[in-house]
């Protein structure tokens, strides 16, 4: 087993006498109090004096902590400091499917039939998650397919999404001693300090918007902090990647079950992305076609995310991210820029965007996050039962691969728990996150890198999205109406 250093940041001081230790701690706390008090009078930060003192004491405690050389024990220690924030948990889907949103029919204080509950969350060192509020594409529920229409066929998708949002709020309120709705990165950090599970909401599909910018703004007011532009169906915003196993080099261009409608982002989708930037709503590119992802990377002013996606170069599924997109993300760091030989990557230069100069396109926002999906069909298995059985090691292969091409600072966790029936061996539920962290430590990931993966990278992205929203806080909202709608038009004359 690989031997790990006791700490990567500072040497451990030799033991002193009890009296000297008490005096040192008192002096340090007094100094921190003075520094913090000075900061309150010389800065405009909104943090309280108590918050800053707490953080400083926490840092002091951390610097004097001896970290275990055992990878699993070390993982637990690191996760105590930086708990897991999962970018995609489908607890509300489990509530809807099994219990018709009757919250009295199950108890999160005990082990549930799903993969998420409080005992296992504590064991897995969680700091919270994004509550996915998902309802299926209209055609999956028997409504007419909208892949080639104007996306205005009446459905109950917005109503059902509001029910899911309501369920999330009710869950957070019912278990308010455990959950907390945290609508900013700062609020989430404060909740974790108090030992609570923070949470934001995420809407998993542009079909849940009713082709309306007003719906985006309303969802934001209700706590939604990311929207996935598509699910397995196209939306008024963008093209989906569908659900294609072993995609060819021309995936979603021709001859596949889901031909493109917009060739990436639609005109309305570009407006929606900028409106999300203005609000402080993250743009999620999981489930989108590679061209949609590319367009969003080029168009968004704020960092975008892939809330639950892996690498095609490791497992060739349309839900995973092509090498060219990963390389493009990697080139954000000037130290990683250069001429890439895509033939050396997993797709051998045959994947989407390999021959269009994709990797050389800039990413104006300057940051991206890719959160690992634990669904076995996106890790190593195929729906026909073939492929290696998914496990912790194969999941770590995706983290390593994305880290090599895009950079480890762009990796997080978006398990899809409670939205998947099958799970990898060793990652059966939320209590098992430490197994993945320990595996990455064995493979040479640094303490800082794994703490970035657990939640540090995600909180960085959220803060940057919030900063863009502050910069554009005085911009006017967009009143654009989707081109396919005929029910909302301007008139020169009053109604008769």
């Amino acid at each position: 087993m690989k031997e790990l250093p006791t700490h990567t940041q500072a040497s451990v001081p030799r033991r002193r006498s009890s009296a000297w230790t008490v005096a040192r701690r008192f002096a340090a706390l007094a100094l921190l109090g003075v520094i913090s008090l000075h900061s309150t009078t010389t800065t405009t930060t909104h943090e309280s004096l108590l918050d800053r003192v707490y953080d400083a004491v926490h840092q002091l405690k951390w610097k004097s902590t001896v970290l275990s050389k055992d990878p699993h024990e070390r993982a637990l220690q690191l996760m105590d400091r930086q708990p897991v924030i999962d970018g995609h948990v489908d607890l509300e889907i489990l509530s809807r499917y099994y219990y018709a949103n009757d919250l009295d029919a199950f108890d999160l204080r005990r082990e549930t039939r799903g993969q998420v509950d409080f005992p296992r969350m504590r064991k897995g060192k969680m700091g919270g998650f994004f509550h996915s509020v998902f309802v299926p594409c209209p055609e999956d529920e028997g409504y007419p397919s909208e892949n080639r229409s104007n996306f205005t066929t009446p459905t109950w998708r917005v109503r059902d999404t509001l029910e899911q949002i309501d369920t999330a709020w009710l869950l957070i309120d019912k278990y308010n001693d455990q959950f907390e709705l945290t609508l900013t990165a700062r609020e989430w950090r404060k909740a974790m300090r108090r030992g609570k599970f923070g949470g934001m909401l995420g809407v998993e599909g542009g079909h849940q918007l009713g082709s309306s910018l007003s719906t985006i703004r309303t969802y934001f007011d209700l706590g939604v902090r990311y929207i996935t532009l598509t699910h397995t169906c196209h939306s008024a915003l963008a093209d989906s990647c569908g659900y294609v196993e072993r995609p060819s080099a021309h995936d979603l261009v021709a001859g596949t079950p889901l031909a493109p409608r917009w060739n990436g982002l639609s005109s309305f989708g570009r407006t929606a992305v900028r409106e999300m930037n203005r609000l402080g709503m993250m743009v999620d590119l999981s489930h989108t076609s590679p061209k949609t992802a590319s367009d969003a990377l080029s168009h968004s002013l704020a960092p975008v995310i892939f809330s639950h996606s892996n690498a095609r170069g490791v497992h060739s599924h349309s839900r995973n991210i092509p090498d060219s997109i990963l390389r493009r993300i990697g080139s954000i760091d000037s130290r990683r820029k250069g001429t890439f030989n895509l033939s050396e990557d997993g797709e051998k230069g045959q994947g989407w965007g390999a021959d269009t100069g994709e990797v050389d396109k800039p990413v104006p926002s300057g940051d991206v996050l890719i959160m690992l999906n634990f669904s076995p069909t996106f890790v190593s298995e195929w729906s026909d039962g073939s492929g290696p059985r998914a496990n912790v090691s194969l999941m770590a292969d995706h983290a390593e691969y994305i880290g090599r091409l895009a950079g480890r600072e762009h990796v997080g966790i978006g398990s899809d728990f409670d939205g998947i029936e099958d799970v990898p061996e060793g990652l059966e539920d939320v209590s098992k996150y430490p197994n993945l962290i320990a595996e990455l430590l064995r493979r040479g990931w640094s303490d800082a890198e794994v703490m970035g993966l657990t939640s540090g990278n995600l909180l960085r992205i959220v803060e940057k999205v919030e900063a863009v929203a502050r910069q554009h806080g005085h911009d006017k909202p967009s009143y654009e109406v989707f081109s396919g709608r005929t029910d909302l038009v301007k008139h020169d004359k009053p109604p008769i």
Side-chain angles (χ1 to χ4, degrees):
M1 181 178 293
K2 181 175 180 179
E3 184 173 291
L4 299 170
T6 57
H7 205 286
T8 59
Q9 299 180 8
S11 59
V12 179
R14 58 190 179 86
R15 184 175 295 278
R16 302 286 186 136
S17 69
S18 175
W20 190 92
T21 300
V22 172
R24 182 185 67 172
R25 289 177 179 171
F26 180 84
L29 288 172
L31 178 60
L32 290 169
V34 171
I35 293 172
S36 299
L37 183 61
H38 175 71
S39 298
T40 21
T41 60
T42 57
T43 70
T44 58
T45 179
H46 295 296
E47 286 190 312
S48 69
L49 171 61
L50 183 61
D51 288 337
R52 289 196 297 277
V53 170
Y54 182 96
D55 286 343
V57 172
H58 194 63
Q59 288 287 341
L60 181 65
K61 178 183 177 182
W62 173 251
K63 287 180 180 293
S64 62
T65 298
V66 179
L67 292 178
S68 173
K69 295 180 181 180
D70 176 76
H72 196 272
E73 290 300 319
R74 192 185 191 94
L76 294 174
Q77 289 176 303
L78 295 172
M79 295 167 78
D80 275 333
R81 187 187 187 204
Q82 194 74 57
V84 168
I85 296 178
D86 195 313
H88 195 91
V89 168
D90 284 313
L91 176 60
E92 284 69 22
I93 295 176
L94 180 140
S95 170
R96 185 181 187 88
Y97 181 79
Y98 286 114
Y99 307 110
N101 289 337
D102 178 0
L103 303 191
D104 290 334
F106 64 99
D107 185 1
L108 290 177
R109 300 186 193 280
R110 303 175 182 178
E111 185 167 321
T112 67
R113 67 186 301 166
Q115 293 125 7
V116 181
D117 51 59
F118 296 135
R120 288 182 287 183
M121 290 172 71
R122 293 291 177 194
K123 188 176 179 180
K125 304 292 183 180
M126 285 195 80
F129 56 84
F130 276 81
H131 298 251
S132 175
V133 289
F134 166 73
V135 293
C137 290
E139 47 267 49
D140 295 336
E141 295 292 285
Y143 296 99
S145 173
E146 297 198 319
N147 288 340
R148 279 291 179 184
S149 76
N150 280 330
F151 302 95
T152 56
T153 303
T155 68
W156 293 108
R157 303 301 82 187
V158 173
R159 178 203 65 179
D160 295 348
T161 301
L162 290 172
E163 288 180 347
Q164 293 299 90
I165 291 173
D166 177 60
T167 297
W169 277 78
L170 290 173
L171 277 168
I172 292 168
D173 182 64
K174 178 178 180 178
Y175 300 102
N176 58 27
D177 61 322
Q178 302 287 327
F179 280 142
E180 185 170 325
L181 185 66
T182 50
L183 298 183
T184 66
R186 178 172 173 263
E187 288 178 5
W188 209 322
R189 287 192 172 94
K190 291 179 69 174
M192 291 193 296
R193 289 181 199 141
R194 297 193 299 272
K196 298 187 75 173
F197 300 116
M200 297 176 177
L201 279 59
V203 169
E204 195 187 354
H207 65 281
Q208 298 177 238
L209 301 178
S211 305
S212 171
L213 299 179
S214 298
T215 311
I216 295 176
R217 291 187 283 266
T218 301
Y219 286 169
F220 182 85
D221 290 340
L222 293 175
V224 173
R225 290 299 179 268
Y226 75 67
I227 292 175
T228 316
L229 298 185
T230 69
H231 195 253
T232 54
C233 54
H234 298 326
S235 72
L237 308 180
D239 287 339
S240 166
C241 69
Y243 198 90
V244 183
E245 295 187 354
R246 301 178 176 91
S248 70
H250 301 290
D251 175 40
L252 303 179
V253 174
T256 64
L258 194 61
R261 170 64 190 276
W262 308 109
N263 191 32
L265 277 178
S266 68
S267 175
F268 185 70
R270 288 191 288 274
T271 301
V273 166
R274 288 299 176 89
E275 187 68 0
M276 292 166 70
N277 292 164
R278 184 187 70 84
L279 291 169
M281 177 95 76
M282 288 184 288
V283 176
D284 177 24
L285 302 178
S286 287
H287 285 289
T288 65
S289 73
K291 182 59 166 62
T292 295
S294 176
D295 288 353
L297 285 170
S298 297
H299 189 68
S300 179
L301 301 175
V304 301
I305 63 171
F306 293 81
S307 69
H308 54 311
S309 293
N310 298 330
R312 284 192 190 180
V314 179
H315 188 59
S316 183
H317 196 294
S318 67
R319 276 284 284 104
N320 290 338
I321 305 170
D323 288 347
S324 56
I325 294 286
L326 293 177
R327 286 289 192 188
R328 180 179 176 186
I329 294 168
S331 68
I332 291 173
D333 187 340
S334 60
R335 294 170 297 181
R336 299 172 60 87
K337 286 185 182 293
T339 302
F340 300 120
N341 184 353
L342 294 175
S343 65
E344 297 176 354
D345 295 334
E347 291 188 292
K348 304 300 181 185
Q350 300 301 309
W352 182 90
D355 56 354
T356 59
E358 185 69 28
V359 297
D360 298 319
K361 296 179 181 178
V363 181
S365 70
D367 213 342
V368 179
L369 184 65
I370 300 163
M371 290 181 267
L372 302 169
N373 188 325
F374 291 2
S375 174
T377 53
F378 306 147
V379 177
S380 59
E381 302 180 27
W382 301 112
S383 59
D384 62 6
S386 62
R389 177 73 177 95
N391 57 33
V392 174
S393 179
L394 293 172
M395 187 74 258
D397 287 347
H398 283 275
E400 288 265 76
Y401 191 86
I402 295 170
R404 179 169 67 84
L405 270 61
R408 292 178 179 177
E409 69 275 20
H410 300 295
V411 188
I413 293 175
S415 66
D416 219 354
F417 278 144
D418 275 358
I420 53 177
E421 294 184 14
D422 296 324
V423 290
E425 293 177 352
L427 293 171
E428 290 83 4
D429 55 56
V430 293
S431 71
K432 305 297 185 181
Y433 296 121
N435 292 341
L436 176 60
I437 304 308
E439 176 65 19
L440 294 176
L441 287 171
R442 292 188 189 97
R443 296 187 183 203
W445 284 49
S446 71
D447 296 341
E449 287 169 343
V450 298
M451 287 191 294
L453 179 141
T454 56
S455 59
N457 296 338
L458 173 58
L459 291 171
R460 180 192 76 235
I461 293 289
V462 173
E463 287 175 333
K464 289 185 176 182
V465 171
E466 293 169 353
V468 170
R470 286 193 297 272
Q471 293 169 8
H472 294 270
H474 296 293
D475 293 358
K476 292 182 179 180
S478 173
Y479 304 116
E480 181 177 336
V481 177
F482 176 58
S483 60
R485 291 182 64 177
T486 59
D487 62 308
L488 191 61
V489 297
K490 295 180 179 179
H491 297 87
D492 295 328
K493 298 179 180 180
I496 298 175

